[in-house]
Amino acid sequence: METNGAQDVVRDVVVGVDGSEGGYHAMAWAAGEAARLRARLVVVHAYAHPVAGGTVTAGPRAGDPRAEAEDLLSRARARFERTARATAPASAPAGVEFAVVRGDACAVLVRHARRGAVVVVGRRGVGTFDRVPMGSISSAVAALAPGTVVVVPRAARAQEPRRVVVAVDPRDESDRVLEAGFDEADRAGVPLTAAHSADAGMFAGVTDGDLAWLERLRAEARADLEARVARWGEKYPAVGWTVETRRGTAPGALLSALRSDDLVVTSGRAASLQVGRARGGPDRIVRHAPCAVSVVHD
């Protein structure tokens, strides 16, 4: 994505579909993101041949998986075209491509991410692109793919968000997440909130002097974060921003403040959002946020 020349221009926004309503909703969100990025939208369905040689297949006369995959993608294309007819041309992607690919769904999406695409995947669908025996495809792609992966639940708003929420760990010296958050907010024309949390309960039983020291530490962390955010605010003068400190464990404190029309930007690192102790990580936000979550990897 293009951010004042600091990053490469994104040419593709790739979304995985599986025939579920969750996949179609992710496709609609991806179309809006491709329009905001002036990028091409690539709609992908991955399929695998049933195992042969005496093992279990899809049935006594399993159909041609390639033909079934192409039929599924045709339905996705028809769904997309119906939606596009009701959308203003100015909000259309730079181009649209539909592709059937043989292979593992997670691996297919990760390959696209390695080529520089923004990858979008639905959450809690009923087909290939959401659930696997060891967890969800959405969580796996968010953890393994480089660059940016956006996980979109069914409840998420498909249009521009009302605000961008950047989940910040003040101890993380990288500004990659803030940069990505300001870029999203600038393109969408919405305000940005830089959020982090602090859990006072974990210090129960310590002395008043320790608590006073902790409050000074929190104040210093907030002041440093405000200075970092202000520097990005100077680069993006059209973006109004605030810094928000929430009491409670991370990332639960952040999740409680989110709405379906927010967009969360978080780091792909298994880091805490909390001052004082590592707890939780981006996977919990990916699994439970009511809105789209953009997971950014350095």
Side-chain angles (χ1 to χ4, degrees), residues 1 10 12-15 29 33 37 112-113 116-120 148-150 184 294:
M1 92 194 32
V10 170
D12 291 339
V13 173
V14 178
V15 59
W29 194 97
E33 182 72 349
L37 285 168
H112 279 286
V118 170
V119 171
V120 180
T148 300
V149 176
V150 185
E184 288 281 3
S294 179

Side-chain angles (χ1 to χ4, degrees), residues 149-215:
V149 176
V150 185
V151 179
V152 182
R154 286 281 305 277
R157 177 179 174 177
Q159 293 78 29
E160 286 83 359
R162 71 179 177 110
R163 66 168 178 168
V164 172
V165 180
V166 181
V168 181
D169 183 345
R171 299 165 300 174
D172 184 358
E173 296 181 356
S174 172
D175 274 358
R176 178 69 180 85
V177 174
L178 281 172
E179 180 182 16
F182 268 94
D183 187 57
E184 288 281 3
D186 187 58
R187 287 198 314 272
V190 298
L192 176 144
T193 298
H196 70 105
S197 64
D199 181 8
M202 68 181 182
F203 292 95
V206 300
T207 66
D208 290 342
D210 289 334
L211 289 175
W213 170 83
L214 175 62
E215 289 302 327

Side-chain angles (χ1 to χ4, degrees), residues 45-51 65-66 101-104:
H45 174 64
Y47 73 98
H49 278 286
V51 180
R66 175 80 189 192
V101 182
R102 180 180 176 182
D104 174 76

Side-chain angles (χ1 to χ4, degrees), residues 67-93:
E68 292 174 356
E70 290 176 347
D71 180 65
L72 184 150
L73 200 65
S74 294
R75 296 196 300 272
R77 184 194 297 269
R79 182 73 165 257
F80 175 84
E81 290 174 349
R82 287 197 301 272
T83 302
R85 284 195 291 270
T87 305
S91 62

